[in-house]
Amino acid sequence: MDFGIVLQTDPPASAVVDRMRRAEDAGFTYGWTFDSAVLWQEPFVIYSRVLEHTERLIVGPMVTNPGTRTWEVTASTFATLNDMYGNRTVCGIGRGDSAMRVAGRKPNTLARLGEAMHSIKELAEGREATVDGNTLRLPWVRGGSLPVWTAAYGPKALALTGRQADGFILQLADPYLTEWMVKAVRDAAAEAGRDPDAVTICVAAPAYVGDDLAHAREQCRWFGGMVGNHVADLVTRYGQGSGLVPPELTEYIKAREGYDYAHHGRTGNPDTAFVPDEIVDRFCLLGPAGAQIEKLKQLRDLGVDQFALYAMHDGVESTIEAYEKEVIPALS
């Protein structure tokens, strides 16, 4: 199993670079960041410094979207980083949540997402692609490689992921839901004539190593609110009890009242009081390292190739250290 770390690009950018370098030293192989231009600093600028100050770390957004950047710009940015540092990027992409809504726009349609995924990958790898009806190619790209991983929860997004993506990003660490959604992705891949096992599976969630479970829950409760904000769209689209989305994913948001992006992804988010302890425990990895190792082994057995650790709480350094000394060696 690979391990990634997920950071927000809060200033100073140098701190993000230092933490990514520390993560690589600890055995993490992927460095991810949020991508929301209004809420945080520009990640692609920071990726260049991260790549310069690390040797093996693969970097990318969790996740970008097809609306805040034109597709040829996104492809060219990835291709430039790869040309400079040697194919060490990955494009995590989705419909767009905070980046779009904070700017007053709606998330992209799945049709647009699918088109963007294809065009960005083709351009970044040096092939022709169609953008807004025009055929383009980046003539300077040589030997480029850009895996495109899609974040998804709903049935249509999972199907798109299976048909087209190189990887699947699932932003929760609940084994039951992981099994349900990985099956949906792999079934779609098989139906499209692809090798289902060729789709990389990445589970992303907060991890907090320590014995004070109550404190860890409070530090990570924001994640249940963030997931619930995504899930609310699914409930609006498919309804409760439709069978198209597992109730284990949607039931808990009934008490949800709203969401303020000013607190997005942050400990102490006041819009997450509705999230019960059970959801925090299911969606996150909390408690002693041994307990987290057992849950990660369960996820690995379900086909998970990477666990990406959201590092937004007051125990980041101690958790990285515990992963370095105990967790990563037990699963790598």
Side-chain angles (χ1 to χ4, degrees):
M1 179 181 275
D2 285 331
F3 289 85
I5 190 166
V6 188
L7 303 177
Q8 293 171 335
T9 53
D10 291 313
S14 59
V16 179
V17 176
D18 288 345
R19 185 154 280 169
M20 289 287 192
R21 183 165 47 190
R22 168 72 181 103
E24 182 182 63
D25 290 342
F28 291 81
T29 53
Y30 282 75
W32 302 92
T33 72
F34 282 43
D35 177 16
S36 191
V38 175
L39 297 178
W40 298 287
Q41 291 187 329
E42 172 55 39
F44 285 93
V45 175
I46 298 171
Y47 296 157
S48 188
R49 294 286 290 174
V50 172
L51 290 165
E52 181 183 5
H53 287 85
T54 57
E55 297 180 0
R56 300 169 303 280
L57 201 70
I58 297 169
V59 304
M62 189 176 284
V63 294
T64 194
N65 72 86
T68 53
R69 294 180 176 86
T70 59
W71 306 349
E72 70 273 18
V73 170
T74 300
S76 181
T77 304
F78 277 114
T80 301
L81 292 172
N82 285 336
D83 185 65
M84 292 172 68
Y85 300 105
N87 289 338
R88 289 170 54 200
T89 66
V90 57
C91 178
I93 194 167
R95 293 175 59 229
D97 177 38
S98 63
M100 296 296 287
R101 288 185 164 123
V102 167
R105 307 184 184 106
K106 293 181 179 180
N108 298 270
T109 65
L110 287 175
R112 181 172 173 81
L113 173 60
E115 292 173 5
M117 290 163 56
H118 175 78
S119 294
I120 291 167
K121 182 177 179 66
E122 294 298 291
L123 291 170
E125 294 186 347
R127 296 182 292 274
E128 288 186 349
T130 300
V131 179
D132 295 330
N134 299 305
T135 301
L136 305 177
R137 186 174 71 85
L138 304 181
W140 49 268
V141 174
R142 298 288 185 274
S145 176
L146 181 65
V148 176
W149 296 9
T150 309
Y153 294 112
K156 292 182 179 179
L158 294 169
L160 171 65
T161 302
R163 290 194 307 269
Q164 189 173 333
D166 299 306
F168 167 42
I169 297 171
L170 175 59
Q171 291 166 309
L172 53 81
D174 175 70
Y176 173 80
L177 291 172
T178 297
E179 182 175 19
W180 195 97
M181 294 187 181
V182 168
K183 182 180 185 301
V185 168
R186 288 186 167 158
D187 285 350
E191 290 171 7
R194 305 179 68 200
D195 177 2
D197 293 330
V199 181
T200 302
I201 308 297
C202 174
V203 158
Y208 193 112
V209 178
D211 295 323
D212 189 342
L213 188 57
H215 179 74
R217 283 174 179 149
E218 291 310 312
Q219 287 292 303
C220 298
R221 197 175 302 276
W222 63 266
F223 184 68
M226 187 182 82
V227 173
N229 193 52
H230 298 152
V231 169
D233 284 347
L234 299 180
V235 173
T236 300
R237 186 173 300 112
Y238 299 108
Q240 290 276 13
S242 65
L244 297 173
V245 182
E248 290 81 0
L249 179 62
T250 61
E251 285 291 326
Y252 82 99
I253 71 165
K254 289 180 178 178
R256 176 181 177 274
E257 295 182 354
Y259 196 81
D260 183 352
Y261 284 96
H263 308 287
H264 188 55
R266 298 190 185 280
T267 295
N269 186 333
D271 297 320
T272 62
F274 73 93
V275 179
D277 289 350
E278 176 201 3
I279 289 295
V280 183
D281 293 348
R282 281 173 44 204
F283 286 9
C284 304
L285 277 84
L286 310 177
Q292 297 196 24
I293 290 169
E294 292 308 308
K295 187 170 183 178
L296 286 166
K297 285 181 177 179
Q298 187 178 1
L299 292 169
R300 183 184 61 184
D301 291 344
L302 294 173
V304 175
D305 300 295
Q306 179 184 151
F307 174 62
L309 187 162
Y310 278 97
M312 294 97 188
H313 51 62
D314 66 1
V316 173
E317 293 303 325
S318 59
T319 293
I320 290 176
E321 182 177 1
Y323 267 66
E324 177 182 21
K325 293 181 177 179
E326 300 180 68
V327 180
I328 294 176
L331 287 129
S332 296

